[in-house]
Amino acid sequence: MDDNILEMDSDNDDFDESRLGMIQEEVVYPEEFLPTYYAIKAEVSAKKANLVEYNNQPDSLFFNDGVRSVDFILVYEDEDTKPFDKKSAFKRHKKRREYFEGCLMKMGLELEATPSVHGDNLMYVKVHVPWEVQRTYAEVLHIKIPIEVNDHVDRSPIWDLFDWITKHFKPNEKLIKKEVDHYTAPYQKHHHDCFLKMDKERFFTPSMRSRMANFIMCRAPYEIRGNVKKFGITKLLNTGVYKAAYPPHDCRFNVKSTVESCPNERYLLYKEWAHPKNFYKTQPLDLIRKYYGEKIGIYFAWLGFYTKMLAFASVVGLACFFYGYHIQENSTWSKEVCDPDIGGKIVMCPQCDLCNYWILNSTCDTSKTLTIFDHFGTLVFAVFMAVWVTVFLEFWKRYQSQLEFEWDTVEFLEQQEPSRPEYDAACVYDTINPVTGVQEKVPFTFCGRCFRISIGIGTVLFWIVLILASIVAIIIYRLAVFFSLSIKLKNPGNFTTLEPLKEYVTPQMATSVTAGLINFVVIMILNTLYERVAIWITDFELPRTRTDYENSLTLKMFLFQFVNYYSSCFYIAFVKGKIVGHPGQPVYILGKYRNEECDPGGCLIELTTQLAIIMGGKAIWNNIQEVLLPWVKNLIFRYCTRVTPKKVEPPRWEQDFELQPFTKLGLFYEYLEMVIQFGFVTLFVASFPLAPFLALVNNIIEIRVDAWKMTTQFRRILPEKARDIGAWQPILQWIAILAVATNAMIIAFTSDIIPRLVYYWSFSVEEGYGNHSMSGFINSSLSYFNTDDFSKATVTDAVERPPNITICRYRDFRFPPGHPRQYQYNMHYWHVIAAKMAFIIVVEHVAYLTKFILASVIPDISHTTREHLKRERYLTQAIIHEVRLNLVSKRLKPVKDDLSSHMARNDNDDDELELSEY
């Protein structure tokens, strides 16, 4: 490494130079075009970009000569306009910037600076990537270029009929025309004639040129001191040398450009994609990918596909919900609870040490509400969702493979992905690559890597324990509030504020709602704190490529978010109310706190409430953040930066500077939000059939909100390459596998479906009701307890016992008092337990077998896409072979001509010799 110490703090893509020769063996780059800081020597002269005045053409994206395109923008504050006492603070900035710009020009870029028209002392440096530089870096970045028009026809008249039906739900084809499909191949300079003939301006798209410019700027040095070499545009942005760096939008989002050559892609995206009136239309994915890059395109493709699949799940979920609503009034179970002669005469035991006795029909409304979600249709819906999630993931793989071919990312392998500048800057140790056998540089030894990974794992575990501690704190809060409300609600004189709501507010419901709200606030606070910790850990681990970095961060963030969002739901579903003992011998936590019991209607209604609060609150909060926050920031920024208002309309790059920057992890959070929602939809759907419908509504809004903010409120996103959704794919698969087990256990242990079925088929006839019936289920599911068996520790003197009451009831299957095995589990309990375990085993095996069969039957790549891939590879090899053959023929032709002339001369010499002899 020339014994140089490299210092860098960039987060952009990099190129792994050790693999350059391996991938492109025939290419020898000129020194001035090498994609690295190594080619820049310390004696590079520092010079500023050419300074020109604004030419009053706001829609132009060219230099003042009208020929060279603007591919990137750098913004800085002019130090010459600062007061004398502040100039010293900007002196180093100026020196670094001038050296950096000199290196950019040394590496082939062309620069032109224009002052701001608003009088705010800002300078805008326009960056242009010349043609020869484009050709060099297109090969370095493995950019694919068309080689031939796709002549493969795979459509049938049925698809034409289908298009005629769905054309009203597609973007306007007159505005967004379908692009011609091509077979493509990675660009190579020495095979330039293999590719389709196009103008230089259209050979590489603006997004490709922006990517090239950013690639170069991530490697250009800005300061060299002795053997310390510092480089990268991100470091300059972080230290304030530059205020912004971004590719320009091609036009205003709501007005067409006046330049004839402008494609107006931003305007078309806003009109046909981001505008709220087009919420029912499909997304123009090809145009999104062309304008923002494959990484953004694959996100919106996945989000759109996920939303379409949610539509099918929502239909079944709504049917399940309305079926429960229909049978609500006819449910025998809820009727018995609400019946004054049945539920009105059953006195229930206190649920805490300070709680009162209560009458069963006081939970009439809760029981009716529970009937909507807890019925046989929910079981069918849970099984359907297990199949749905498998179909969704398998068909997404097929659709993803199709996009990989259409968007030229099929051969985007890890070896081709550039390494991050931070990784290259820290490489000081020599090692042998086990794959290539080539010696290369690495940033740390094996022991150092293990140490960094251990620190990361330990930090993640610490924060997960912190989340669990917060859950325990919320459990203690629930116990304390439940005790307090139980005392105050029984004495209206002490708690008159809730007197009008006393009929509707129960201690269990109030505790569940307030605890859910507090849990949501804690979740959002911990998310904000852990976000910084996860980024710090990932930076410390120093992954090699951008993909490795995002995958590592994805795993850390999802583990944290999984525990943060789902721990309270898992507690309510599988822990709360499961180990409570019986009224005479309750279970205490730490020997002091009595374990929390479920709502009288069951824990399922509490789980439903918790899910509704978290899903609804999260959706509302995220939409406020994504819509209101960028708009307010842009409004304040425009107001504060315009020092002297002018009548001159600012140029395109200056209008873009007033927008919000799209952070490096902006897309990561969009994925994280959707995957967390996917978990709610699949993991706990047995308790909340409306979850798919709520997710569907949220996603329809989410697509348009994301489109609106990207086209109107954010600067143009730097295009990045991506072939799939990365680490999110295996995460979704693990959620799908876990969802089968969680829903089976929710139905078995949280809902009352299994006890009802056991009673209906096994015990209803024995109870004397003749045929199979649900009559008498309430009486059968409640055990008896003698109030004289209460101890002072469990029920204090403050608890008021109704007169002439010696027996109270509680939810369990135990022998009554006076029985030789009083308060022990009876046969009914063991029948129910056996049925629950059998249900879990059968459902899981059937669901997993169905998932395995579907995954095996549905291929990951469709037959049509396979044919396209084979055709593309064949054409690429045939064309390149033909070009090489022609090149060899041209090289052999002069040799053949020389040989012919030489033989002719020899023949003439022989003739002359014969004549002389004669």
Side-chain angles (χ1 to χ4, degrees), residues 72-119:
F72 219 86
I73 299 295
L74 299 175
V75 185
Y76 68 89
E77 194 169 5
D78 190 4
E79 297 86 357
D80 296 334
T81 60
K82 288 293 181 182
F84 179 77
D85 58 343
K86 292 185 179 181
K87 283 186 177 181
S88 58
F90 290 92
K91 188 175 181 180
R92 170 177 277 188
H93 288 182
K94 182 178 181 181
K95 183 178 179 180
R96 287 181 169 181
R97 184 175 60 254
E98 291 180 352
Y99 186 85
F100 178 75
E101 293 178 0
C103 292
L104 291 181
M105 287 184 272
K106 174 68 175 178
M107 297 174 75
L109 299 182
E110 297 177 1
L111 309 180
E112 185 178 85
T114 302
S116 173
V117 300
H118 290 306

Side-chain angles (χ1 to χ4, degrees), residues 573-574 578 744-751 754 833 836-837 840:
F574 306 124
K578 302 301 182 291
M745 288 190 289
I746 286 174
I747 293 175
F749 296 110
T750 308
S751 75
I754 302 301
I833 288 296
K836 288 181 177 181
M837 299 306 298
I840 292 175

